[in-house]
PDB file of all heavy atoms in Angstrom:
ATOM      1  N   ALA K 319     119.817  67.018  95.559  1.00 98.00           N
ATOM      2  CA  ALA K 319     120.615  67.748  96.496  1.00 98.00           C
ATOM      3  C   ALA K 319     122.001  68.244  95.887  1.00 98.00           C
ATOM      4  O   ALA K 319     122.409  69.409  96.002  1.00 98.00           O
ATOM      5  CB  ALA K 319     120.974  67.017  97.814  1.00 98.00           C
ATOM      6  N   THR K 320     122.655  67.186  95.118  1.00 98.00           N
ATOM      7  CA  THR K 320     123.903  67.428  94.488  1.00 98.00           C
ATOM      8  C   THR K 320     123.720  68.600  93.430  1.00 98.00           C
ATOM      9  O   THR K 320     124.572  69.439  93.178  1.00 98.00           O
ATOM     10  CB  THR K 320     124.544  66.192  93.845  1.00 98.00           C
ATOM     11  OG1 THR K 320     124.495  65.312  94.947  1.00 98.00           O
ATOM     12  CG2 THR K 320     125.836  66.413  93.463  1.00 98.00           C
ATOM     13  N   ARG K 321     122.606  68.428  92.624  1.00 98.00           N
ATOM     14  CA  ARG K 321     122.225  69.398  91.587  1.00 98.00           C
ATOM     15  C   ARG K 321     122.076  70.787  92.186  1.00 98.00           C
ATOM     16  O   ARG K 321     122.485  71.826  91.597  1.00 98.00           O
ATOM     17  CB  ARG K 321     121.063  68.965  90.827  1.00 98.00           C
ATOM     18  CG  ARG K 321     121.251  67.724  89.927  1.00 98.00           C
ATOM     19  CD  ARG K 321     121.665  68.265  88.514  1.00 98.00           C
ATOM     20  NE  ARG K 321     120.770  69.126  87.838  1.00 98.00           N
ATOM     21  CZ  ARG K 321     119.677  68.814  87.222  1.00 98.00           C
ATOM     22  NH1 ARG K 321     119.355  67.469  87.092  1.00 98.00           N
ATOM     23  NH2 ARG K 321     118.930  69.690  86.615  1.00 98.00           N
ATOM     24  N   PHE K 322     121.452  70.877  93.383  1.00 98.00           N
ATOM     25  CA  PHE K 322     121.269  72.132  93.977  1.00 98.00           C
ATOM     26  C   PHE K 322     122.575  72.877  94.349  1.00 98.00           C
ATOM     27  O   PHE K 322     122.693  74.126  94.012  1.00 98.00           O
ATOM     28  CB  PHE K 322     120.373  71.985  95.158  1.00 98.00           C
ATOM     29  CG  PHE K 322     119.917  73.376  95.739  1.00 98.00           C
ATOM     30  CD1 PHE K 322     119.061  74.139  94.935  1.00 98.00           C
ATOM     31  CD2 PHE K 322     120.100  73.744  97.033  1.00 98.00           C
ATOM     32  CE1 PHE K 322     118.689  75.456  95.380  1.00 98.00           C
ATOM     33  CE2 PHE K 322     119.706  74.934  97.505  1.00 98.00           C
ATOM     34  CZ  PHE K 322     118.993  75.808  96.740  1.00 98.00           C
ATOM     35  N   VAL K 323     123.434  72.119  94.922  1.00 98.00           N
ATOM     36  CA  VAL K 323     124.741  72.761  95.265  1.00 98.00           C
ATOM     37  C   VAL K 323     125.458  73.294  93.970  1.00 98.00           C
ATOM     38  O   VAL K 323     125.977  74.466  93.872  1.00 98.00           O
ATOM     39  CB  VAL K 323     125.592  71.762  96.060  1.00 98.00           C
ATOM     40  CG1 VAL K 323     126.928  72.351  96.424  1.00 98.00           C
ATOM     41  CG2 VAL K 323     124.807  71.342  97.270  1.00 98.00           C
ATOM     42  N   ALA K 324     125.441  72.380  92.986  1.00 98.00           N
ATOM     43  CA  ALA K 324     126.124  72.826  91.651  1.00 98.00           C
ATOM     44  C   ALA K 324     125.442  73.960  91.034  1.00 98.00           C
ATOM     45  O   ALA K 324     126.060  74.913  90.451  1.00 98.00           O
ATOM     46  CB  ALA K 324     126.005  71.614  90.690  1.00 98.00           C
ATOM     47  N   TYR K 325     124.059  74.063  91.155  1.00 98.00           N
ATOM     48  CA  TYR K 325     123.320  75.123  90.688  1.00 98.00           C
ATOM     49  C   TYR K 325     123.724  76.432  91.227  1.00 98.00           C
ATOM     50  O   TYR K 325     123.878  77.556  90.660  1.00 98.00           O
ATOM     51  CB  TYR K 325     121.823  74.860  90.852  1.00 98.00           C
ATOM     52  CG  TYR K 325     120.846  75.932  90.120  1.00 98.00           C
ATOM     53  CD1 TYR K 325     120.486  75.757  88.752  1.00 98.00           C
ATOM     54  CD2 TYR K 325     120.500  77.073  90.783  1.00 98.00           C
ATOM     55  CE1 TYR K 325     119.689  76.643  88.156  1.00 98.00           C
ATOM     56  CE2 TYR K 325     119.881  77.941  90.117  1.00 98.00           C
ATOM     57  CZ  TYR K 325     119.476  77.786  88.916  1.00 98.00           C
ATOM     58  OH  TYR K 325     118.555  78.754  88.253  1.00 98.00           O
ATOM     59  N   VAL K 326     123.799  76.433  92.650  1.00 98.00           N
ATOM     60  CA  VAL K 326     124.252  77.594  93.390  1.00 98.00           C
ATOM     61  C   VAL K 326     125.518  78.045  93.024  1.00 98.00           C
ATOM     62  O   VAL K 326     125.838  79.225  92.910  1.00 98.00           O
ATOM     63  CB  VAL K 326     124.106  77.385  94.934  1.00 98.00           C
ATOM     64  CG1 VAL K 326     124.595  78.649  95.723  1.00 98.00           C
ATOM     65  CG2 VAL K 326     122.498  77.270  95.298  1.00 98.00           C
ATOM     66  N   ARG K 327     126.442  77.048  92.882  1.00 98.00           N
ATOM     67  CA  ARG K 327     127.918  77.454  92.413  1.00 98.00           C
ATOM     68  C   ARG K 327     127.805  78.131  91.168  1.00 98.00           C
ATOM     69  O   ARG K 327     128.485  79.060  90.971  1.00 98.00           O
ATOM     70  CB  ARG K 327     128.740  76.120  92.433  1.00 98.00           C
ATOM     71  CG  ARG K 327     130.234  76.390  92.080  1.00 98.00           C
ATOM     72  CD  ARG K 327     131.095  75.164  92.084  1.00 98.00           C
ATOM     73  NE  ARG K 327     131.219  74.567  93.397  1.00 98.00           N
ATOM     74  CZ  ARG K 327     130.738  73.310  93.714  1.00 98.00           C
ATOM     75  NH1 ARG K 327     130.130  72.562  92.726  1.00 98.00           N
ATOM     76  NH2 ARG K 327     130.845  72.896  95.028  1.00 98.00           N
ATOM     77  N   ARG K 328     127.047  77.585  90.163  1.00 98.00           N
ATOM     78  CA  ARG K 328     127.008  78.231  88.806  1.00 98.00           C
ATOM     79  C   ARG K 328     126.360  79.577  88.951  1.00 98.00           C
ATOM     80  O   ARG K 328     126.832  80.523  88.280  1.00 98.00           O
ATOM     81  CB  ARG K 328     126.266  77.239  87.986  1.00 98.00           C
ATOM     82  CG  ARG K 328     126.008  77.695  86.537  1.00 98.00           C
ATOM     83  CD  ARG K 328     127.177  77.303  85.562  1.00 98.00           C
ATOM     84  NE  ARG K 328     127.031  78.028  84.295  1.00 98.00           N
ATOM     85  CZ  ARG K 328     127.556  79.089  84.013  1.00 98.00           C
ATOM     86  NH1 ARG K 328     128.534  79.718  84.760  1.00 98.00           N
ATOM     87  NH2 ARG K 328     127.358  79.588  82.819  1.00 98.00           N
ATOM     88  N   LEU K 329     125.400  79.726  89.746  1.00 98.00           N
ATOM     89  CA  LEU K 329     124.741  81.010  89.936  1.00 98.00           C
ATOM     90  C   LEU K 329     125.691  82.115  90.509  1.00 98.00           C
ATOM     91  O   LEU K 329     125.733  83.207  89.908  1.00 98.00           O
ATOM     92  CB  LEU K 329     123.507  80.894  90.931  1.00 98.00           C
ATOM     93  CG  LEU K 329     122.634  82.161  91.171  1.00 98.00           C
ATOM     94  CD1 LEU K 329     122.050  82.641  89.909  1.00 98.00           C
ATOM     95  CD2 LEU K 329     121.608  81.829  92.234  1.00 98.00           C
ATOM     96  N   VAL K 330     126.554  81.747  91.388  1.00 98.00           N
ATOM     97  CA  VAL K 330     127.490  82.621  91.936  1.00 98.00           C
ATOM     98  C   VAL K 330     128.446  83.140  90.846  1.00 98.00           C
ATOM     99  O   VAL K 330     128.689  84.299  90.683  1.00 98.00           O
ATOM    100  CB  VAL K 330     128.234  82.067  93.147  1.00 98.00           C
ATOM    101  CG1 VAL K 330     129.421  82.894  93.551  1.00 98.00           C
ATOM    102  CG2 VAL K 330     127.264  81.693  94.318  1.00 98.00           C
ATOM    103  N   GLU K 331     128.713  82.192  90.035  1.00 98.00           N
ATOM    104  CA  GLU K 331     129.710  82.577  88.907  1.00 98.00           C
ATOM    105  C   GLU K 331     128.961  83.422  87.818  1.00 98.00           C
ATOM    106  O   GLU K 331     129.457  84.452  87.493  1.00 98.00           O
ATOM    107  CB  GLU K 331     130.051  81.219  88.085  1.00 98.00           C
ATOM    108  CG  GLU K 331     131.366  80.700  88.378  1.00 98.00           C
ATOM    109  CD  GLU K 331     131.484  79.370  87.809  1.00 98.00           C
ATOM    110  OE1 GLU K 331     131.236  79.089  86.524  1.00 98.00           O
ATOM    111  OE2 GLU K 331     131.773  78.274  88.410  1.00 98.00           O
ATOM    112  N   LYS K 332     127.629  83.070  87.498  1.00 98.00           N
ATOM    113  CA  LYS K 332     126.975  83.936  86.612  1.00 98.00           C
ATOM    114  C   LYS K 332     126.754  85.389  87.104  1.00 98.00           C
ATOM    115  O   LYS K 332     126.467  86.200  86.244  1.00 98.00           O
ATOM    116  CB  LYS K 332     125.539  83.341  86.334  1.00 98.00           C
ATOM    117  CG  LYS K 332     125.696  82.133  85.190  1.00 98.00           C
ATOM    118  CD  LYS K 332     124.451  81.267  85.075  1.00 98.00           C
ATOM    119  CE  LYS K 332     123.204  81.984  84.715  1.00 98.00           C
ATOM    120  NZ  LYS K 332     122.053  81.149  84.861  1.00 98.00           N
ATOM    121  N   LEU K 333     126.785  85.425  88.420  1.00 98.00           N
ATOM    122  CA  LEU K 333     126.547  86.753  88.939  1.00 98.00           C
ATOM    123  C   LEU K 333     128.004  87.573  89.093  1.00 98.00           C
ATOM    124  O   LEU K 333     127.945  88.616  89.624  1.00 98.00           O
ATOM    125  CB  LEU K 333     125.835  86.772  90.307  1.00 98.00           C
ATOM    126  CG  LEU K 333     124.374  86.215  90.231  1.00 98.00           C
ATOM    127  CD1 LEU K 333     123.789  85.995  91.582  1.00 98.00           C
ATOM    128  CD2 LEU K 333     123.553  87.140  89.545  1.00 98.00           C
ATOM    129  N   GLY K 334     128.920  86.917  88.513  1.00 98.00           N
ATOM    130  CA  GLY K 334     130.133  87.784  88.407  1.00 98.00           C
ATOM    131  C   GLY K 334     131.057  87.541  89.620  1.00 98.00           C
ATOM    132  O   GLY K 334     132.139  88.550  89.729  1.00 98.00           O
ATOM    133  N   LEU K 335     130.767  86.743  90.581  1.00 98.00           N
ATOM    134  CA  LEU K 335     131.565  86.641  91.797  1.00 98.00           C
ATOM    135  C   LEU K 335     132.822  85.671  91.551  1.00 98.00           C
ATOM    136  O   LEU K 335     132.546  84.632  90.805  1.00 98.00           O
ATOM    137  CB  LEU K 335     130.690  86.249  92.958  1.00 98.00           C
ATOM    138  CG  LEU K 335     130.267  87.409  93.739  1.00 98.00           C
ATOM    139  CD1 LEU K 335     129.053  88.100  93.011  1.00 98.00           C
ATOM    140  CD2 LEU K 335     129.815  86.939  95.109  1.00 98.00           C
ATOM    141  N   PRO K 336     133.924  85.864  92.201  1.00 97.00           N
ATOM    142  CA  PRO K 336     134.936  84.841  92.120  1.00 97.00           C
ATOM    143  C   PRO K 336     134.435  83.559  92.931  1.00 97.00           C
ATOM    144  O   PRO K 336     133.473  83.581  93.663  1.00 97.00           O
ATOM    145  CB  PRO K 336     136.188  85.509  92.884  1.00 97.00           C
ATOM    146  CG  PRO K 336     135.543  86.577  93.673  1.00 97.00           C
ATOM    147  CD  PRO K 336     134.212  86.959  93.022  1.00 97.00           C
ATOM    148  N   SER K 337     135.073  82.450  92.629  1.00 97.00           N
ATOM    149  CA  SER K 337     134.808  81.201  93.122  1.00 97.00           C
ATOM    150  C   SER K 337     135.676  80.814  94.315  1.00 97.00           C
ATOM    151  O   SER K 337     135.310  79.816  95.137  1.00 97.00           O
ATOM    152  CB  SER K 337     134.688  80.022  92.058  1.00 97.00           C
ATOM    153  OG  SER K 337     136.044  79.995  91.581  1.00 97.00           O
TER     154      SER K 337
END
Side-chain angles (χ1 to χ4, degrees):
T320 310
R321 284 272 301 278
F322 188 61
V323 178
Y325 187 91
V326 171
R327 182 176 293 118
R328 177 88 190 97
L329 180 63
V330 172
E331 263 171 47
K332 277 167 59 183
L333 294 174
L335 268 75
S337 58

